[in-house]
Amino acid sequence: MTTRIGIEVSIAVADAVQLCNADVVAAYPITPQTHIVEHLAELVANGELDAEYIPVESEHSAMSACLGSAATGARTFTATSSQGLVLMDEVLFVASGMRLPIVMAVANRALSSPLSIWGDHSDVMSVRDTGWIQIFVENGQQAVDNTICAFRIAEDNRVLLPTMIHLDGFNLTHVIEPIIMPEESEVAKFLPPNKFPLPLNPDKPVAMGSFAAPGIFIEAKWAQEQNMKASKKVIMEVWNEFYKAFGRQYLPVEKYKSDGAKVLILTMGSFSETASVAVDELIDEGKDVGQVRLRLWRPFPFDEFRQAVKDADVLVVLDRAVSVGGPAGPVASEVKSALYNLAKKPKVVSFIAGLGGRDITVKGFKDIITKGIEIARTGSKNEYEIYGVRE
Amino acid sequence: MVKENTLIEIRWHGRGGQGAVTSAEMLAQAAIAEGKYAQAFPSFGPERRGAPVQAFNRVDTREPVRIRADIVEPDIVVVLDPSLLSIVNVTSGLKKGGKVIVNTKKTVKQIKAEFKINFQVATVDATKIAKETLGVAIVNTTMLGAVLRATGVIKKESTHAPLQKRFGKLGDRNIKTMEIAYDQVSIEEQ
């Protein structure tokens, strides 16, 4: 029997890691991620999770410890946010290059300076090219479900890639809401034991992550790229298996009232559901609008995305990060590049909003969509629009 | 056809350490235990003891709560510390027909006149009840009782399990303080 409980999302994510029976947690606390690793530390200390908890001195060390742990074949979890994530950056590339199936929850938060502990996607965009699988969630249930799925995806021997679950700081991590927690036995049935193919073993020495001269480096990178591309099939297979086992479905690109709609808004993360409410209200007012949500950020789901927006005239893209001095918001840039060579494509209007914890209300989303329609019609000399700023 | 709105939004005003966040948390857990949909969250940011803080609840009897933003147009406002009435505009954005529930020694009439509140007001001396029952002036569970009576948003019995879980061996005393406030709250007649 599953139980539906009112629980803080961070605590639920930690409980999900416990359900997955992680072997090693190496982490350093940072707001707004702290409750996840604090609760894991508690579970380990109380004997409720039989794992090694490694309290390290920095996030760089946290990820380094995770490398070693995952290389032995231990099921490995960590969590971080913002400055912690960027401090890990160097090691993130090593984890993916070495094909180590580490699972990490990232409580998305702005980057300094100015110092902000509040949510946006600046930290995500700074690790875009690290070679990790990256999945966005919109509510607590999705955070729990995808934490469980992440271990199965990462550890699948056809994948063997580290995987990030992006959950918005505060707007998800600090909210108490109803979550259906699966039973341990159900998770055990869904998630097979980690069978890392070449674990570190003193009796059978192997070299990992070693030196690559120009004669082999590009092949290694190409293999990584092929492997990441191929992972999409496994990710979808795992989500499908999850659907069969638990009844909740996840897709690389999720559609909300978007079929046939002429205007679409594209969102990622916890503001997506607020945007859905705005879409409902606009439809009630007679507008032809719908929504597309990007769940899978890496590997980017090109086919599903193109299919989802093919009949639209206007695609409004929300970004919660800025590429200072660059083109549109980071998501909008990728979306534009995914569409550029198509003969028929919607006009893309890039909006940046919700930086550093600024809310976007239902009315805000309605404004963004309405302005987006207008800009698509009249054109704009701006690369992107910034919403809600006091100039 | 316009759907009937089944969403109730509550904004709690307290001072850091008084337990506004805990109140909101207990209310959400009780609502969820009743099979309803609910959210509880703090005003996000650094925690400072004694500083004015807010906490929020959304409760929906029919469908999942999808909005993730601070509550700026609440249906119900709860004030855990009477001193906040003179420094925070607690009724800011309060919807027409909204309610204000205040921890105070004063009467409904006095509060309405003194702070010019043109909404339905309920009062309870939560500090006194908490001191007598718990021995401390932490009014989170007391005000929870007052809110449940004044709003009927959930059954008071639904809070028993969350209170027991949260307060452990002090669970029974917290349930008692919630029940006393539930009985003693004065609600302005409409």
Side-chain angles (χ1 to χ4, degrees), chain A residues 114-131:
Chain A
L115 174 66
S116 167
I117 59 165
W118 291 271
D120 73 21
H121 293 165
S122 308
D123 57 358
V124 182
M125 296 307 152
S126 78
V127 298
R128 187 189 66 176
D129 299 335
T130 52

Side-chain angles (χ1 to χ4, degrees), chain A residues 74-356:
Chain A
R75 180 164 287 162
T76 304
F77 178 83
T78 187
T80 193
S81 180
S82 182
Q83 309 302 127
L85 185 65
V86 291
L87 186 55
M88 278 182 183
D89 194 52
E90 178 184 359
V91 197
L92 295 177
F93 287 87
V94 182
S96 59
M98 287 172 68
R99 307 273 306 269
L100 297 172
I102 299 158
V103 172
M104 173 158 67
V106 182
N108 310 127
R109 170 187 142 181
L111 293 172
S112 288
S113 167
L115 174 66
S116 167
I117 59 165
W118 291 271
D120 73 21
H121 293 165
S122 308
D123 57 358
V124 182
M125 296 307 152
S126 78
V127 298
R128 187 189 66 176
D129 299 335
T130 52
W132 284 54
I133 291 171
Q134 302 190 41
I135 295 167
F136 267 87
V137 299
E138 292 145 11
N139 58 40
Q141 187 68 60
Q142 295 180 2
V144 164
D145 293 351
N146 281 284
T147 299
I148 296 166
C149 289
F151 283 108
R152 180 156 161 183
I153 292 166
E155 292 168 3
D156 188 302
N157 279 358
R158 294 167 294 171
V159 176
L160 293 174
L161 283 173
T163 302
M164 287 181 206
I165 301 299
H166 291 294
L167 68 157
D168 285 334
F170 291 114
N171 287 295
L172 284 188
T173 56
H174 284 53
V175 178
I176 288 167
E177 59 184 65
I179 296 179
I180 298 166
M181 292 304 290
E183 286 295 313
E184 198 171 350
S185 59
E186 295 174 317
V187 176
K189 218 191 282 172
F190 173 76
L191 179 64
N194 182 14
K195 291 204 176 106
F196 190 64
L198 270 177
L200 287 178
N201 178 345
D203 299 330
K204 285 190 212 160
V206 288
M208 289 186 186
S210 49
F211 176 84
I216 194 67
F217 187 85
I218 193 167
E219 282 71 21
K221 285 289 131 184
W222 183 237
Q224 204 181 335
E225 167 65 15
Q226 293 303 312
N227 174 235
M228 173 62 99
K229 264 194 187 153
S231 73
K232 194 179 81 183
K233 187 170 157 272
V234 180
I235 295 167
M236 290 168 72
E237 196 181 291
V238 169
W239 277 336
N240 196 32
E241 290 295 315
F242 187 88
Y243 177 53
K244 281 195 235 159
F246 298 94
R248 292 182 293 276
Q249 192 173 25
Y250 297 102
L251 297 166
V253 175
E254 290 176 12
K255 302 193 286 183
Y256 183 73
K257 302 187 177 177
S258 67
D259 283 341
K262 287 295 160 206
V263 177
L264 297 176
I265 180 159
L266 183 137
T267 56
M268 287 199 314
S270 67
F271 285 8
S272 295
E273 293 185 326
T274 310
S276 302
V277 177
V279 165
D280 286 347
E281 290 189 8
L282 287 169
I283 290 172
D284 284 346
E285 292 165 20
K287 301 267 174 32
D288 191 5
V289 300
Q291 183 187 15
V292 170
R293 300 155 158 180
L294 215 46
R295 175 161 317 288
L296 191 58
W297 175 233
R298 283 294 182 276
F300 190 90
F302 291 99
D303 297 338
E304 292 81 359
F305 166 71
R306 288 175 184 137
Q307 189 63 28
V309 304
K310 69 178 172 24
D311 296 323
D313 295 334
V314 179
L315 178 61
V316 179
V317 181
L318 171 71
D319 265 283
R320 295 186 64 199
V322 187
S323 169
V324 179
V331 179
S333 300
E334 297 226 347
V335 159
K336 282 184 178 177
S337 98
L339 296 173
Y340 185 76
N341 284 335
L342 302 185
K344 182 182 177 306
K345 53 189 170 258
K347 273 195 180 162
V348 175
V349 184
S350 165
F351 269 90
I352 290 175
L355 302 181

Side-chain angles (χ1 to χ4, degrees), chain B residues 109-173:
Chain B
K109 225 177 200 172
Q110 285 171 327
I111 290 290
K112 286 193 72 137
E114 190 176 341
F115 299 100
K116 298 185 175 53
I117 297 176
N118 294 317
F119 293 92
Q120 187 187 11
V121 169
T123 58
V124 63
D125 192 350
T127 307
K128 181 164 166 268
I129 297 169
K131 273 188 185 161
E132 282 173 5
T133 321
L134 300 170
V136 289
I138 297 176
V139 294
N140 46 18
T141 45
T142 329
M143 287 308 285
L144 179 62
V147 168
L148 299 190
R149 172 76 181 286
T151 64
V153 62
I154 50 165
K155 296 191 207 73
K156 73 173 174 326
E157 290 73 22
S158 307
T159 63
H160 288 187
L163 288 170
Q164 287 287 12
K165 184 154 190 271
R166 176 59 180 256
F167 293 102
K169 56 181 194 287
L170 292 175
D172 286 342
R173 272 156 76 183

